[in-house]
Amino acid sequence: MSNCLLEVKDLVTAFTTSKGPLRAVDGVSFQVNSGELIGVVGESGSGKSLTSLSIMGLVPYPGKVVSGEIFFEGQDLLKLEEAEMVKIRGKNIAMIFQDSRVSLDPVCRCGEQIVEAIRTHEKATREEARERALELIGLVGIPNPARCVNAYPHELSGGMCQRIMIAIALSCRPKLLIADEPTTALDVTVQAQILELLDKLRHDFDMSVILITHNLGVVAGVADRIAVMYAGQIMELGDIGEILNHPMHPYTQGLIKSIPKLEVSSKRLYSISGTVPALDKMPSGCRFEQRCPEAMALCATVLPEMCVLSDGQYVCCHKYDTWRSAYE
Ligand code: SF4
C-alpha cells in the first residue's frame, strides 16, 4: 500500500502580465510520503515558495495555478472550493514562514494566538484551548510556558517567536507542515535548534514536512529526500545521501561546491556564475544552460526531460538522455 500523503503532478503556476502569462512554476512533480521530511532547495526565484503557496491555495494575485494536480490524501486540492480549502489549510496542512515576527500579531499575546488557531478549527472551550496552548509551548521547547503564554511577540527573541509559530502550526496536529525558510532570519546556533525541533516533532506528531530553503546545508542533516529547483523546475530529486554524495545535475554539483567549508584554505569560495533568468527571459532549452559548465549545443534549444537514474532518483539534464524518461 502506498504511503503517499501529497502528490504534486505537473504543476504550472503563472503570473498574468502585459507580456502574457509567465510560468514561475513550470511542470513540477513530486511526492511527499507520510512521516517524511523533504527539502526543497534552490536560489531565490527558483519557484520553491510559489510551489508551496500553490499547495496551500495562497498564490498571490496576479498569479494562479494554470494546470496540474495536487493530491492530498487522494483528494485533488485544485478542485476544491475555497470554503473546503479553508478547512484543510491550518488543520491538515499548516505553514510557517521565514520571519515569525512579521507573521505573529504584535498586539496579541502569544498564548492567545495559539488559542485562536485551535478554536478556528476545533470545538474547544477557551479553557481547553488555553491548556493545549500551554502544553504546545512546552512541546516546542520554550522554558517557563506559563510566562510565555502571556508574553507579546516583541518580548521574545527571534528563535522563541519561531517556536511560537511552530506551536501555532502544530495546534491542530497537521499531517503536513510546510516550513518556508524557517531558519533564515535566525542566528546559526538557533537555526540548528529549530531544525532539530522540526525533526523531533515530525516523529512525535507523525507528520510530514516540506522544508524550503536556499541553503543546502540546512537540509543536509534532517531531510530524507531533496528536490533541487531552478527557474521554476525540478532539476534533481532523490535520496538526500545519494544526492549529496553523488550529485548528477550540474546545478546540484555547483550548489554543493558552493557550501563553505570550515578548513583553512587559500582557495576562493566557489560560486555559480550568473543569476537565475528573469521570468520573461526564460531560455527555450535547458533553463540552466547560460550558467552550465557542461552545456552542449542542444541544451540551448531543447528542454531536457526528467530521467529516472535509479529507483527514486530523478534528474533533468541532457547528459542523461539515454536513461529512461520519468514520464514514459
Ligand atoms: Fe547543462 Fe545541458 Fe544538462 Fe542543462 S541540459 S544542465 S545545460 S548539460
Side-chain angles (χ1 to χ4, degrees):
M1 200 177 91
S2 162
N3 67 344
C4 173
L5 178 71
L6 178 85
E7 183 172 19
V8 177
K9 285 172 101 172
D10 213 8
L11 177 71
V12 177
T13 303
F15 288 97
T16 307
T17 70
S18 56
K19 294 174 184 164
L22 300 177
R23 296 170 159 223
V25 173
D26 196 1
V28 163
S29 300
F30 66 97
Q31 290 192 355
V32 183
N33 296 320
S34 294
E36 178 181 47
L37 194 155
I38 182 165
V40 179
V41 182
E43 292 165 89
S44 314
S46 61
K48 51 194 192 310
S49 293
L50 198 56
T51 300
S52 61
L53 292 173
S54 304
I55 296 168
M56 295 294 283
L58 293 174
V59 175
Y61 180 83
K64 70 171 187 181
V65 174
V66 177
S67 60
E69 293 163 310
I70 301 175
F71 290 102
F72 178 74
E73 296 189 303
Q75 186 177 35
D76 188 353
L77 299 182
L78 298 179
K79 294 209 166 82
L80 297 183
E81 297 293 331
E82 177 56 18
E84 295 170 294
M85 198 57 209
V86 165
K87 288 184 195 152
I88 290 179
R89 202 185 293 137
K91 173 141 180 68
N92 295 314
I93 308 177
M95 190 161 179
I96 55 171
F97 297 91
Q98 176 178 335
D99 198 340
S100 47
R101 286 186 190 278
V102 173
S103 306
L104 289 169
D105 183 344
V107 295
C108 183
R109 294 180 197 276
C110 292
E112 199 49 39
Q113 300 193 44
I114 304 173
V115 166
E116 283 290 311
I118 295 169
R119 283 171 47 94
T120 301
H121 292 286
E122 286 179 19
K123 284 195 183 96
T125 64
R126 185 157 286 281
E127 257 329 290
E128 286 164 347
R130 199 175 154 83
E131 277 302 308
R132 283 263 302 283
L134 270 171
E135 194 189 318
L136 281 163
I137 291 173
L139 269 175
V140 295
I142 295 180
N144 200 344
R147 207 176 71 193
C148 177
V149 84
N150 289 320
Y152 288 99
H154 73 268
E155 295 175 295
L156 302 178
S157 67
M160 289 295 174
C161 284
Q162 195 54 286
R163 285 173 195 265
I164 293 292
M165 281 306 301
I166 295 172
I168 292 172
L170 294 181
S171 61
C172 292
R173 299 187 75 92
K175 293 178 179 157
L176 175 66
L177 174 68
I178 302 176
D180 189 356
E181 302 274 7
T183 61
T184 303
L186 305 174
D187 293 342
V188 178
T189 48
V190 183
Q191 281 186 15
Q193 292 167 9
I194 295 291
L195 289 172
E196 216 173 281
L197 175 66
L198 283 176
D199 195 28
K200 177 182 179 305
L201 291 172
R202 67 137 162 168
H203 289 114
D204 292 353
F205 280 64
D206 194 19
M207 168 179 81
S208 306
V209 178
I210 300 177
L211 176 57
I212 295 168
T213 175
H214 64 278
N215 183 348
L216 198 48
V218 160
V219 292
V222 291
D224 300 306
R225 289 189 303 136
I226 54 168
V228 178
M229 282 193 75
Y230 184 80
Q233 297 179 332
I234 292 182
M235 297 288 131
E236 189 161 2
L237 172 70
D239 175 81
I240 181 84
E242 204 53 49
I243 289 185
L244 290 183
N245 291 317
H246 308 288
M248 303 302 266
H249 195 283
Y251 179 56
T252 319
Q253 290 165 353
L255 279 183
I256 291 174
K257 265 173 89 178
S258 317
I259 299 174
K261 316 267 179 317
L262 262 185
E263 72 220 23
V264 179
S265 165
S266 55
K267 285 190 202 152
R268 289 175 67 93
L269 282 177
Y270 178 84
S271 67
I272 304 171
S273 62
T275 51
V276 181
L279 277 185
D280 60 341
K281 295 200 172 54
M282 284 296 168
S284 54
C286 171
R287 294 191 167 183
F288 188 55
E289 189 264 339
Q290 287 152 358
R291 305 172 74 189
C292 179
E294 299 182 58
M296 303 170 275
L298 87 161
C299 302
T301 50
V302 182
L303 197 63
E305 283 183 20
M306 189 63 98
C307 302
V308 188
L309 293 188
S310 62
D311 193 21
Q313 179 130 9
Y314 302 84
V315 68
C316 184
C317 170
H318 284 307
K319 278 168 62 187
Y320 307 97
D321 276 352
T322 50
W323 298 74
R324 189 162 54 87
S325 162
Y327 301 124
E328 272 171 5

